Amino acid sequence: ELKVEQNPLFLSMQEGKNYTIYCNYSTTSDRLYWYRQDPGKSLESLFVLLSNGAVKQEGRLMASLDTKARLSTLHITAAVHDLSATYFCAVGPTGNQFYFGTGTSLTVIP
Amino acid sequence: NAGVTQTPKFRILKIGQSMTLQCTQDMNHNYMYWYRQDPGMGLKLIYYSVGAGITDKGEVPNGYNVSRSTTEDFPLRLELAAPSQTSVYFCASRYPGQANTEAFFGQGTRLTVV
């Protein structure tokens, strides 16, 4: 059974601080996705990582992928309130299916 | 460009009733998915389809059925609704090319079974 684990599950951080969310998965996959979900809303694609060593950055968020370690990270730099949301990673080992992590609920405190 | 459209947005069902959740996409995507999201949890794959006429089970298919007669539409049918099916249901689609492999999600259907 494929497992996708994120930690932490809940993260409360002050504005201006840095933090990293981790996504571990249990099977071989060279594709990993990060999504954001605001409360009561749908999922919005943030990053698509398609190879080992891939790194992508958008604003204060940077995602990376280490396929050998089966690990992806989402790094938050100088957090602002607008980043408060739930962040999901998803793995697509076969190319057909997406398996989602449990999500990390981020709250940025002024 | 509407993207992925789900109807209805909200629905309350009584135990034992049936209903169909509609999903349509106008991006000519081959792949379509149905997920459920329980409160405070991640998304679990119910069924998916890689093209018209082809469907397959995901992680939690029991109590659901799907069909895919066209590229655009991928309805999800609930037979004999149970309280355990209370959830938010998301439909998604994607085109499985190398450069565009992300999935696009609909706005969700919030279902309550009472």
Side-chain angles (χ1 to χ4, degrees), chain B residues 2-108:
Chain B
V4 181
T5 302
Q6 291 183 236
T7 57
K9 288 186 171 55
F10 303 92
R11 183 73 185 267
I12 298 175
L13 274 184
K14 293 184 178 179
I15 294 171
Q17 287 185 320
S18 301
M19 76 164 293
T20 299
L21 282 66
Q22 301 291 345
C23 175
T24 187
Q25 52 91 9
D26 61 0
M27 298 175 282
N28 201 32
H29 286 171
N30 295 36
Y31 288 17
M32 295 188 74
Y33 306 85
W34 275 107
Y35 289 90
R36 62 176 285 172
Q37 184 180 30
D38 297 328
M41 303 293 286
L43 281 75
K44 294 292 186 183
L45 180 64
I46 305 172
Y47 273 95
Y48 69 100
S49 169
V50 300
I54 306 169
T55 62
D56 208 347
K57 296 177 180 179
E59 302 168 272
V60 290
N62 292 342
Y64 307 94
N65 280 299
V66 293
S67 60
R68 184 93 182 271
S69 57
T70 67
T71 299
E72 294 79 19
D73 300 307
F74 190 39
L76 176 72
R77 177 127 181 112
L78 279 71
E79 305 281 1
L80 298 175
S84 61
Q85 294 177 306
T86 294
S87 191
V88 179
Y89 292 83
F90 288 101
C91 178
S93 73
R94 63 187 275 262
Y95 181 77
Q98 187 66 20
N100 295 295
T101 58
E102 64 195 297
F104 296 88
F105 283 79
Q107 291 301 305

Side-chain angles (χ1 to χ4, degrees), chain A residues 18-37:
Chain A
N18 304 332
Y19 209 84
T20 301
I21 298 171
Y22 296 88
C23 173
N24 291 85
Y25 52 98
S26 63
T27 192
T28 301
S29 177
D30 60 359
R31 302 174 180 217
L32 190 127
Y33 311 84
W34 283 97
Y35 286 85
R36 168 182 172 144
Q37 185 180 38

Side-chain angles (χ1 to χ4, degrees), chain A residues 34-100:
Chain A
W34 283 97
Y35 286 85
R36 168 182 172 144
Q37 185 180 38
D38 292 308
K41 302 293 186 181
S42 187
L43 282 81
E44 172 191 358
S45 176
L46 293 174
F47 299 109
V48 179
L49 303 169
L50 296 176
S51 62
N52 185 44
V55 177
K56 289 197 173 178
Q57 183 164 5
E58 180 72 34
R60 300 174 188 274
L61 300 178
M62 183 175 70
S64 65
L65 177 62
D66 181 343
T67 58
K68 294 179 182 177
R70 298 179 184 174
L71 171 69
S72 180
T73 61
L74 180 67
H75 187 72
I76 303 157
T77 301
V80 294
H81 180 69
D82 285 351
L83 290 179
S84 296
T86 298
Y87 294 85
F88 291 97
C89 63
V91 175
T94 66
N96 293 342
Q97 303 182 37
F98 286 78
Y99 294 91
F100 279 81

